[in-house]
Amino acid sequence: MSFRRGVVRQSKFRHVFAQAWKAEHCVDDVRVSRVTWDGPLCAVNPKFIAVVIEASGGGAFLVVPISKSGRIDQSTPTVCGHAAPVLDVQWCPHDDNVIASASEDCTVKVWQIPDGGLTSPMTEALMTLEGHSKRVGILAWHPTALNILLTAGCDNVVCVWDVATGELVYQLGDAHPDLIYSVCWNKDGSAICTVAKDKALRIIDPRRGTVLKVKEKVHDGTRPMRAVFLADGKILTTGFSRMSERQVALWDTNDLSEPMAVQEMDTSNGVLLPFYDPDTNMIYLCGKGDCTIRYFEVTDESPYVHFLNLYSSKEPQRGAGFLSKRGVDVNKCEIARFYKLHERKIEPISMTVPRKSDLFQGDLYPDTAGLEPSLLAEEWIAGQDAAPLLVSLSGGYSAPPSKHRDTLRVKPKLVSQDSGAGATSPSVGNATAAAPAAARETEGDTGSQPRMAREMDGTSDRLKREDDVLNELLAEMKALRTVVLAQSQRIELLERQLARIEDGDV
């Protein structure tokens, strides 16, 4: 089935138009990487723009505040801790200051970018993840669980990490017989979809390490493919036909026998990178080396994927960054923003719905995923799933202070540091109870006001220190209880699976 173009239908996104920002708002003199890896080479969030750049003697990427414009000086500090070229960078969805980078040196590093950007070159990472035997080119943060990061490398292995501890929690080593082209989580992070060089689309449960469904030959061409999960569970893929025409296809995960829709687009060689907006259900296709960005709306009405328009410019794109919805300008009805990479420049491009009213357009901006995670890492590992926690964009978005903000800076603190109402430490409790009695004895024995004041100040300081110790102990006990519960649930799950295998049910 092919997409029908030119069919008149009612949609608030039919008239979306794209407009590049003026030259004075671009970032100039950026040496964009010439690496041959088919990735976007750019990642954007409401605070920063990160771009993989050319670097001698290793790998580096540039991080600048999103408000930055004008020329980038050659002495501008970079993140330069990798020993070989960087292939991919991805911002953490739950902390706008944390970014992961994947490199040809077979490692993944997690970095903490200070507010305002770098003031000196950054070489020391918060965490280095070593588990791949070949270069690593794919990163995907879990959409709802804190500190869960997926990586995929040219060793055909998918790894899932808890970046707070550096622990490799899951590894899928035999699911892919050939090079992995792309990996994408579904909405609640319970499954992933992958496409590989063997032309197969796979839906995988990463916690059980099982391939749930496989579709052979999603696209007949031999060039790289991409796949993204949509909000309703469907999957959209891009690839090439046997005649080397670029294709887009939509798949129903309940029945992968035939695509719901497929379209041949053109015969360009550039890999189509899909960027999906779950709030508007729109897909943007950026071809590497193209001068255009095509955008579509996915609906439940045939032909399901509706071509809206395309943005065309004179210069081809080396890559592109897609700004999360929290960063768009709701006052200008901006529903998406790209940061297009030229050879030496970063050019913002806004996607806008024309509206006459200056009021907040609620129909264009449904509640979107916020910074706060739905689950802790150990809760997801134990088998829990949860939808993203949504926030309103009315009046613009401002991030609330997060109770999880320091989870990457201090390794042992894996969970919220709110003190629980559970068990208390007997030794600390006795010391706390004894302190007021000591204060009363001191008060009875002395007749000097200055001495009594000094004694009371000393007692107050001691009480405060003991309260701090008590709070720390309570927080640590709460963290340990959570870990024990998660591990016991995980053991129970593994025992059930083992019983099923022994009974011959698997």
Side-chain angles (χ1 to χ4, degrees):
M1 182 186 295
S2 296
F3 302 154
R4 296 198 304 271
R5 299 171 82 166
V7 177
V8 178
R9 64 184 187 88
Q10 294 299 316
S11 171
K12 56 194 167 206
F13 303 115
R14 250 182 51 200
H15 302 293
V16 171
F17 71 95
Q19 187 170 25
W21 290 22
K22 294 181 180 179
E24 58 264 29
H25 298 304
C26 297
V27 182
D28 299 309
D29 216 9
V30 178
R31 307 184 312 277
V32 177
S33 174
R34 296 179 179 274
V35 69
T36 56
W37 188 256
D38 288 317
L41 302 180
C42 180
V44 192
N45 69 19
K47 281 188 178 181
F48 300 105
I49 306 169
V51 180
V52 182
I53 59 172
E54 285 289 298
S56 57
F61 60 96
L62 177 72
V63 177
V64 295
I66 198 167
S67 57
K68 170 69 179 175
S69 61
R71 183 175 175 273
I72 295 292
D73 192 85
Q74 297 303 310
S75 61
T76 300
T78 61
V79 182
C80 49
H82 283 287
V86 175
L87 300 180
D88 195 13
V89 288
Q90 292 292 331
W91 290 104
C92 175
H94 305 125
D95 190 335
D96 285 339
N97 293 78
V98 172
I99 188 170
S101 58
S103 168
E104 288 189 3
D105 64 9
C106 306
T107 68
V108 173
K109 294 180 182 285
V110 181
W111 313 84
Q112 181 91 33
I113 307 299
D115 285 330
L118 302 179
T119 56
S120 60
M122 181 174 284
T123 58
E124 294 297 322
L126 277 177
M127 185 67 66
T128 298
L129 309 176
E130 298 177 339
H132 290 279
S133 59
K134 294 185 179 180
R135 60 180 180 166
V136 189
I138 297 172
L139 298 169
W141 288 94
H142 194 285
T144 62
L146 182 68
N147 293 337
I148 294 294
L149 176 66
L150 181 148
T151 63
C154 294
D155 51 6
N156 310 336
V157 173
V158 174
C159 296
V160 181
W161 308 82
D162 180 348
V163 298
T165 62
E167 180 188 2
L168 176 60
V169 292
Y170 299 107
Q171 186 174 43
L172 289 78
D174 54 1
H176 301 88
D178 216 329
L179 178 65
I180 303 167
Y181 285 143
S182 84
V183 180
C184 181
W185 294 95
N186 66 352
K187 185 177 181 179
D188 63 0
S190 60
I192 59 174
C193 68
T194 68
V195 284
K197 196 172 181 179
D198 63 354
K199 305 180 186 179
L201 167 67
R202 292 174 176 84
I203 302 173
I204 300 172
D205 182 340
R207 285 174 294 203
R208 292 192 298 169
T210 55
V211 179
L212 304 177
K213 294 188 178 181
V214 180
K215 170 60 181 175
E216 307 288 348
K217 283 197 176 181
V218 177
H219 297 278
D220 290 327
T222 56
R223 291 188 53 76
M225 302 182 293
R226 291 291 184 274
V228 289
F229 256 118
L230 306 187
D232 60 1
K234 296 183 179 68
I235 295 174
L236 185 133
T237 61
T238 65
F240 292 79
S241 70
R242 187 178 288 105
M243 304 301 293
S244 295
E245 294 176 307
R246 292 197 293 192
Q247 291 181 323
V248 183
L250 182 68
W251 303 86
D252 184 350
T253 51
N254 295 319
D255 181 8
L256 293 175
S257 59
E258 292 293 334
M260 296 175 64
V262 65
Q263 179 187 14
E264 285 77 25
M265 296 173 59
D266 54 35
T267 54
S268 175
N269 290 326
V271 175
L272 284 172
L273 303 178
F275 296 92
Y276 175 59
D277 180 0
D279 301 332
T280 59
N281 227 28
M282 288 177 62
I283 286 280
Y284 302 86
L285 300 182
C286 300
K288 297 205 73 170
D290 287 8
C291 299
T292 60
I293 299 175
R294 295 173 173 86
Y295 38 106
F296 302 79
E297 183 182 5
V298 182
T299 71
D300 294 329
E301 303 172 4
S302 179
Y304 306 112
V305 181
H306 307 269
F307 175 78
L308 295 174
N309 209 335
L310 62 82
Y311 164 79
S312 183
S313 61
K314 294 181 180 179
E315 297 184 62
Q317 55 228 12
R318 301 281 298 278
F322 187 54
L323 179 63
S324 70
K325 188 58 68 70
R326 293 181 290 109
V328 301
D329 189 344
V330 298
N331 297 318
K332 295 181 179 178
C333 295
E334 182 186 45
I335 61 169
R337 189 189 307 165
F338 284 88
Y339 285 79
K340 175 181 174 180
L341 302 186
H342 298 249
E343 189 172 355
R344 303 278 294 188
K345 182 173 73 172
I346 307 171
E347 179 185 40
I349 300 169
S350 289
M351 304 288 179
T352 307
V353 177
R355 292 281 172 93
K356 293 180 180 179
S357 173
D358 293 333
L359 300 176
F360 176 72
Q361 304 295 307
D363 62 321
L364 299 181
Y365 301 103
D367 289 353
T368 191
L371 276 176
E372 204 64 31
S374 308
L375 298 170
L376 300 175
E378 50 269 25
E379 292 173 335
W380 180 79
I381 292 170
Q384 296 185 41
D385 295 315
L389 297 179
L390 304 182
V391 295
S392 172
L393 294 178
S394 177
Y397 176 78
S398 59
S402 172
K403 58 188 177 183
H404 303 293
R405 194 50 45 89
D406 292 329
T407 50
L408 275 175
R409 300 181 193 176
V410 184
K411 294 179 189 176
K413 296 182 179 178
L414 300 180
V415 298
S416 166
Q417 298 302 298
D418 299 333
S419 58
T424 59
S425 169
S427 59
V428 177
N430 293 338
T432 307
R440 284 194 299 272
E441 289 175 9
T442 305
E443 184 178 357
D445 292 342
T446 181
S448 169
Q449 290 295 332
R451 181 182 173 190
M452 184 171 65
R454 287 195 302 271
E455 294 284 353
M456 291 182 67
D457 288 343
T459 302
S460 175
D461 291 342
R462 188 168 66 252
L463 283 170
K464 185 177 184 304
R465 288 195 300 271
E466 290 169 350
D467 282 344
D468 290 342
V469 171
L470 177 60
N471 287 334
E472 287 183 10
L473 287 173
L474 288 172
E476 187 174 352
M477 289 173 65
K478 183 178 179 183
L480 288 172
R481 281 201 305 272
T482 305
V483 172
V484 169
L485 177 61
Q487 294 303 324
S488 65
Q489 292 174 340
R490 189 176 177 189
I491 290 170
E492 184 180 350
L493 177 65
L494 292 173
E495 287 176 343
R496 287 201 302 268
Q497 292 177 5
L498 179 62
R500 290 175 57 198
I501 294 172
E502 291 174 346
D503 293 342
D505 293 341
V506 178

